[in-house]
Amino acid sequence: MSKKFSISDIAKELNCELKGNNNIEISGVGSLDEAKEGFISFLGNKKYEHLVEESIASAFIVPADYTKEPAEGKAFLLSDNVDLSFSMMIMMFAPPAIEYPSEIHSSAVVAETATIGKNVHIGPCAIIDEGVKIGNNSVITAGTYIGVNTVIGEDCLIYQNVTIRERCVVGNRCIIHSGTVIGADGYGFVPGPQGIIKIPQVGNVEIHDDVEIGSNVCVDRARFGKTIIKTGVKIDNLVQVAHNVEIGEFSLLIGQSGVAGSAKIGRGCIIAGRAGVNGHIKVGDGTKVAGTSNLVKGCPPNSIMVGTPAEPQREFMTRLTLPKKVKKMQQQIKDLQKQLNDLSN
Amino acid sequence: MSKKFSISDIAKELNCELKGNNNIEISGVGSLDEAKEGFISFLGNKKYEHLVEESIASAFIVPADYTKEPAEGKAFLLSDNVDLSFSMMIMMFAPPAIEYPSEIHSSAVVAETATIGKNVHIGPCAIIDEGVKIGNNSVITAGTYIGVNTVIGEDCLIYQNVTIRERCVVGNRCIIHSGTVIGADGYGFVPGPQGIIKIPQVGNVEIHDDVEIGSNVCVDRARFGKTIIKTGVKIDNLVQVAHNVEIGEFSLLIGQSGVAGSAKIGRGCIIAGRAGVNGHIKVGDGTKVAGTSNLVKGCPPNSIMVGTPAEPQREFMTRLTLPKKVKKMQQQIKDLQKQLNDLSN
Amino acid sequence: MSKKFSISDIAKELNCELKGNNNIEISGVGSLDEAKEGFISFLGNKKYEHLVEESIASAFIVPADYTKEPAEGKAFLLSDNVDLSFSMMIMMFAPPAIEYPSEIHSSAVVAETATIGKNVHIGPCAIIDEGVKIGNNSVITAGTYIGVNTVIGEDCLIYQNVTIRERCVVGNRCIIHSGTVIGADGYGFVPGPQGIIKIPQVGNVEIHDDVEIGSNVCVDRARFGKTIIKTGVKIDNLVQVAHNVEIGEFSLLIGQSGVAGSAKIGRGCIIAGRAGVNGHIKVGDGTKVAGTSNLVKGCPPNSIMVGTPAEPQREFMTRLTLPKKVKKMQQQIKDLQKQLNDLSN
């Protein structure tokens, strides 16, 4: 990070009002507690306001309605969307992005029947199997496998050592991180006459546009039909999406969460970290399942579900405060007994 | 799915009695709520009976003892094993399975000391290390690594980007899905004079016949001796099996569950999704650990264990209903106090 | 394991006092319940003392202060560190370690701008991208990808199919197991005018010396700045370490645990199996979070936190025993009512 920008240039670039010292040179970005002198930081949440005063950073991106004044010699940039402004800020200081030349590496193995779009990068030891279609401007990096007849849209970025099995569909502008497996067989078995018999998993996975999937995620192919990840869904690392699941538009599945077979998750839901959703249930739009909780029944839109088995937040709080209530009741019972004893004597 | 079959041909193929309209042409398969006109669906669980009436599918596979009649113009196929019949049905409509030609791809790296059986497929960029043995008819796909002296049985299917480390043994007819790691070092450390010292992990992993292991699973090699996955075990995605664990025949480990070091799981157990089993404990045959639960102590055969720490189902239910009980008791205490007050006055 | 050693040679090698029969030939090692005749076993925990008497092993490594005598014809080796001695014992019987020749395999792809140290192994189909530096004596095995400008220290062992993205730093003597992904984008999104906008993740991951990371782990790169894994940290399989996290020296993250974004974990902490740590919190040195628990608030040094949300052990025990207390209170209330009734009549 040896780049430097004047605070007034930054204000222009970010389209933010500048308050305070307009003569600072900014040499880096950092969080409130880690930024150094000459750095710019940001106030994302007003509960950290006191950290602005303690920080040695020289400038701060603050909410547009923030009324305090910057300290002597420091500057505030007033922003309508602090997170977004700070992201732009970070990009100004970021090292150059990795470039993926439009070429098929000589060590890649691309089937003759594959259709490769314009301006596509296929990295070293990547394997593109028979009948695959890859859209324009997409990047398939080193060691990644794309299975028979799978279709990858335009402007996708598939990182290293990803596996996408046969007959899956990935939309446009999708990002899939390393180690992730799309389209492996769903987990389905039936007791048979001589042990356990595998239920064939002959469906596929369909991923719509603008989806991002983290590292070492598993999205299983449907038993029949499709496992569907709709537009704008963002999946964190180590998440399990079982066969025939549907994830609604713009829903978020946070790290290590899991969704069991045939569950339908609505639009704009948040399944927080390490939470689970049982199979064959319907989760209403906008529902939030708290971290580590396990949703065992379907729920209406905009539910907030907590605990295992998950219950509405209010019921969960009742449960959480039981020890206090029980302690109080123990005392009350003692008192009652005493009063009774007094009365009997 | 452009295939079509007459319902009477299907009845013959599935060896099911046909009831109702025997003159339907079936053009696809689907679940009760997703099947279209001309499709065949199935009633796997009688609690979904009402969906049969609502479904627009033209035919339904139903249990042999199902007494209702099909609606006008529709057909029922009576089956002794609905799941199995429906699986056969799916296969009739499935796209052709992926074929793996009996060849070693030119980009694969196979050590001279490896022994490769007849009719084996070794895919692009697969690596077969020194001393490996691969049985007849087995398929090792793209990007998979098989370590020094590891033995793979006959008729195995190892998917893409799998890692199986040195000196492991995989039985016959095993399926291992992408991203899975077999035989990595177990997690073992001891406090030493200058920090933490690694305990060498020199055992291996032994996987018996007919085992299926999902994607991004970890089965660690034993500290010494063996980590053992017995015949017919089925492991779902993202499961952790630590060093020196033993999983009994036909047990099921569902998605994101984990078994800690040296635990012995009996035969026919089910460790449900996101559940955990502590190390060094013995889990009796046929035990079920509920989803998200954590089994901390060993248990006798056929236990049903729920919660964290897991307890028998009955005790868990007692715990679950505490808020209701406490609420009732609060009222009772109030009443008692009132009676007492009345009495004292 | 066809090696054999005399018990007196073993005593010398392990620098342990020999008690009992000094004329035994040892042909293998095993745990107390699995060791065969002629094997040596060990007593790691005195609660298993009875197993020493039941075991058919011929010799036992026991704690130096163990006062019992070996049975007729058997031997004890008295050790100051039983685990360590047993590890040395295992190594004597272990098959030879895998050797990695100092060479770049012909199928590996190494960028011209990469700097490769002395005595380095780069395995088949490994990919070393532009500007990478790999220190002396390090081993990069088959199918592993090292991203642009990443630096790997000396004496590292990176197993198969690992992905380490651009600009990360790995210290000396680190071990990284198969399928692990270091430096993928952190999970960061903000609501934007037209959907969800990705927050660029332009920081990196910095791993200090003597770190070991298990299989299929994810350590995300920082939004900006660094995700830091400090010296001597040991991470088990399937663990999630989110962006901007810091893990203090010698802390242990056990299997399937997860640490959310920007959490700072102190030195010498243990995050047990399947446990979670919320984002943006500070966990004091030496803290232990119990298995399956979820730590939602920061805590002072040496805390022992249990449950979800995690609370101090004592509070957790109070909660755990609620059903018993409630049952007792139900009886007390009945008694009170009876006394009251008697009194009123």
Side-chain angles (χ1 to χ4, degrees), chain A residues 107 109 125 127 143-145 148 161-163 165-167 179-181 184-187 189-200 202 216-218 220 223-225 238-241 244 246 256-258 264 274-276 280 292 294 308-309 318-319 322 325-326 329 332-333 336 339-340 343, chain B residues 1 29-31 33-34 42 48 81-84 86-88 90-91 94-96 98 100 105 107 124-125 142-143 159-161 175 177-179 212 215-216 232 234-238 250-256 274 291-292 316 319-323 325-326 329-330 333 336-337 340-341 343-344:
Chain A
S107 66
V109 177
C125 298
I127 289 125
T144 280
Y145 171 80
V148 175
N161 289 322
V162 164
T163 300
R165 288 253 311 266
E166 68 274 12
R167 293 186 286 104
T180 280
V181 179
D185 291 359
Y187 185 83
F189 301 92
V190 281
Q194 280 155 334
I196 298 174
I197 296 176
K198 180 177 173 67
I199 300 176
V202 302
N216 285 335
V217 167
C218 300
D220 279 352
R223 175 176 175 184
F224 55 89
L238 291 164
V239 169
Q240 153 81 338
V241 178
N244 293 85
E246 245 184 76
Q256 296 178 312
S257 61
K264 310 284 178 220
R274 315 181 59 71
H280 296 276
T292 315
N294 193 50
T308 300
T318 304
R319 184 180 301 282
L322 280 182
K325 284 180 200 146
V326 165
M329 285 162 61
Q332 288 172 323
I333 287 175
L336 283 169
Q339 292 175 51
L340 250 174
L343 212 58
Chain B
M1 287 203 190
V29 296
S31 60
D33 55 338
E34 288 171 348
F42 74 112
Y48 297 122
N81 186 332
V82 170
D83 273 331
L84 204 55
F86 193 62
S87 285
M88 292 170 66
I90 289 172
M91 289 315 287
I98 302 300
Y100 302 98
H105 192 274
S107 66
C125 297
Y159 279 103
Q160 296 78 19
N161 289 324
I175 300 174
H177 289 281
S178 294
E212 181 162 348
S215 304
N216 285 336
K234 310 296 183 186
I235 300 180
D236 199 352
N237 300 334
L238 291 164
F250 299 104
S251 283
L252 309 178
L253 306 185
I254 315 296
Q256 296 178 313
R274 316 181 57 72
T292 315
F316 179 75
R319 182 179 303 281
L320 201 62
T321 55
L322 280 182
K325 284 180 200 146
V326 164
M329 284 161 61
Q330 285 174 323
I333 288 175
L336 283 169
Q337 186 63 58
L340 251 173
N341 293 348
L343 212 58
S344 325

Side-chain angles (χ1 to χ4, degrees), chain A residues 268-319:
Chain A
C269 293
I270 301 179
I271 312 300
R274 315 181 59 71
V277 174
N278 274 19
H280 296 276
I281 67 176
K282 214 168 165 171
V283 179
D285 292 350
T287 289
K288 291 181 180 142
V289 180
T292 315
S293 300
N294 193 50
L295 189 64
V296 300
K297 286 185 201 167
C299 60
N302 301 314
S303 302
I304 298 183
M305 302 297 284
V306 195
T308 300
E311 49 197 353
Q313 200 169 14
R314 186 198 179 121
E315 291 175 30
F316 179 76
M317 290 312 296
T318 304
R319 184 180 301 282

